[in-house]
């Protein structure tokens, strides 16, 4: 799910992967095979993210290199852009799912009651 003002501004030409497919690997491991499968270089993926970003910024080649080497930790926005350009859901990446869970448990962001209900569901 993309938040308003972030993510792609138009569709991407890749076919989506099966919805049930999720990676349990960190993005440092999960991203490279996806790029290889689509015959994308870091520069090509960076260009796609810039073209798809509503703000026109995308992610840079340097950021992608740092991301896959483990020197950078991905933001939700960058994962959303990368996933859109690869034709997959952002939730494919474990870091995105973890960030969503953190947001669901953040009492300041979703409210204490909602955070407490989500926590109670998880510990059952």
């Amino acid at each position: 799910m993309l938040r308003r003002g972030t993510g792609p501004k138009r569709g991407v030409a890749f076919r989506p992967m099966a919805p049930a497919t999720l990676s349990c690997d960190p993005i440092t491991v999960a991203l490279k095979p996806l790029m290889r499968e689509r015959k994308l270089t870091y520069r090509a993926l960076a260009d796609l993210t810039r073209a798809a970003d509503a703000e026109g910024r995308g992610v840079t080649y340097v950021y992608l290199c740092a991301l896959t080497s483990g020197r950078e930790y991905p933001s939700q926005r960058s994962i959303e852009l990368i996933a859109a350009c690869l034709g997959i859901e952002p939730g494919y990446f474990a870091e995105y799912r973890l960030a969503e869970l953190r947001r669901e448990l953040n009492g300041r962001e979703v409210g204490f009651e909602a955070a407490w209900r989500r926590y109670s569901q998880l510990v059952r």
Side-chain angles (χ1 to χ4, degrees):
M1 109 180 59
L2 295 175
R3 286 172 291 206
R4 196 175 318 151
T6 63
K9 61 182 174 185
R10 59 188 144 106
V12 182
F14 298 109
R15 279 182 278 153
M17 295 177 72
T21 306
L22 298 176
S23 175
C24 292
D25 293 326
I27 198 165
T28 56
V29 175
L31 184 58
K32 291 176 190 177
L34 293 171
M35 290 174 59
R36 206 173 304 119
E37 179 181 299
R38 290 158 176 81
K39 297 178 174 71
L40 287 172
T41 62
Y42 292 121
R43 289 189 194 279
L45 182 55
D47 289 343
L48 285 174
T49 63
R50 273 192 294 282
D53 187 5
E55 299 171 11
R57 292 181 311 165
V59 296
T60 66
Y61 158 79
V62 173
Y63 179 78
L64 286 171
C65 291
L67 192 62
T68 56
S69 68
R71 292 188 314 263
E72 284 283 343
Y73 191 80
S75 67
Q76 278 190 281
R77 180 183 169 280
S78 64
I79 292 176
E80 289 168 353
L81 285 169
I82 291 167
C85 292
L86 294 174
I88 59 175
E89 290 294 319
Y92 172 82
F93 296 106
E95 288 87 351
Y96 189 83
R97 295 189 310 271
L98 184 59
E100 284 291 302
L101 182 59
R102 280 190 198 115
R103 188 189 63 74
E104 290 173 8
L105 295 173
N106 183 342
R108 288 185 177 175
E109 191 166 333
V110 298
F112 178 78
E113 291 299 321
W116 181 253
R117 274 192 308 275
R118 182 64 175 132
Y119 173 78
S120 297
Q121 290 171 347
L122 292 172
V123 295
R124 286 184 192 164

